[in-house]
Amino acid sequence: MSAPLSAARFLGALRAEGLTVVEVGNWRTHNRNHKGPWGPVHGVMLHHTVTHGTAYTVGLCRDGHAALPGPLCHGVITKDGRVHLVGHGRANHAGAGDSDVLAAVIAEKRLPPDLHANTDGNRHFYGFECENLGDGEDPWPASQLDAMARASAALCRAHGWSARSVIGHLEWRPGKIDPRGFTMASMRDRVTERLK
């Protein structure tokens, strides 16, 4: 059982992994904690944004929209490999997902199919939204993929997790396809290399 990192430790972990971090507004206190608990945390979830352009993407992920208030993640990883911190605490990113997947993440075992949406993921996962149109054609620059692996590894290192604690939204909730354009197996391989 892992308590979430403090904002200072979260920021420090990312910087220690060699990331360029942009602090956006009051990110340290911007959260949805009034809607439910934050923690214990068990892993890192990656998403694609279905957006283009840094300013628009970061603004949307920070503020959300009428149907889904922000923050929509903890950090936004843009095409240039920068991590824009937009929230700390509970964020609207994971939604409900499969309890068997959560159990596998906690045990650091192979993930089962995501068949149910019966568990609150916003409570248990750090979330990174990654700027990409999500059409399978929009490229993932090397700098962005590297930043995604570094951000994931930073949190795994801080909590003593392996790369098996890093999942995609598509592995958590039935019907989700993100992130699209690379495999989560390849991303976990990158994270494993970072953790060596």
Side-chain angles (χ1 to χ4, degrees), residues 133-154:
L133 294 175
D135 57 6
E137 296 178 12
D138 189 18
W140 291 93
S143 58
Q144 188 179 28
L145 289 170
D146 180 63
M148 292 161 68
R150 285 174 184 263
S152 299

Side-chain angles (χ1 to χ4, degrees), residues 9 31 43 45 60 63 75 105 108 114 120 124 129 132 162:
R9 286 193 63 209
N31 57 56
M45 189 175 295
L60 176 65
D63 300 330
V105 170
E108 298 198 314
D114 54 328
D120 174 13
H124 296 299
E129 286 282 357
N132 191 276
S162 77

Side-chain angles (χ1 to χ4, degrees), residues 18-31:
L19 288 159
T20 300
V21 180
V22 179
E23 298 182 71
V24 181
N26 62 339
W27 73 271
R28 293 168 187 259
T29 57
H30 186 51
N31 57 56

Side-chain angles (χ1 to χ4, degrees), residues 67-186:
L68 192 65
L72 303 184
C73 59
H74 300 99
V76 182
I77 302 176
T78 48
K79 293 276 192 183
D80 59 6
R82 291 184 297 166
V83 180
H84 303 255
L85 298 183
V86 297
H88 182 262
R90 185 180 177 90
N92 275 337
H93 74 98
D98 196 306
S99 58
D100 292 334
V101 172
L102 181 62
V105 170
I106 293 169
E108 298 198 314
K109 294 184 176 178
R110 182 179 298 277
L111 298 177
D114 54 328
L115 302 176
H116 308 285
N118 59 6
T119 300
D120 174 13
N122 295 333
R123 175 180 185 174
H124 296 299
F125 289 94
Y126 295 100
F128 290 99
E129 286 282 357
C130 307
E131 180 191 352
N132 191 276
L133 294 175
D135 57 6
E137 296 178 12
D138 189 18
W140 291 93
S143 58
Q144 188 179 28
L145 289 170
D146 180 63
M148 292 161 68
R150 285 174 184 263
S152 299
L155 295 174
C156 288
R157 197 182 307 282
H159 285 285
W161 299 332
S162 77
R164 287 196 180 269
S165 294
V166 181
I167 69 173
H169 201 193
L170 77 170
E171 296 173 306
W172 171 245
R173 184 178 173 91
K176 294 296 182 181
I177 63 167
D178 59 310
R180 188 175 178 196
F182 62 89
T183 67
M184 283 306 302
S186 70

Side-chain angles (χ1 to χ4, degrees), residues 32-38 90 120 123:
R32 303 282 296 160
N33 290 358
H34 64 287
K35 289 295 186 179
W38 165 232
R90 185 180 177 90
D120 174 13
R123 175 180 185 174

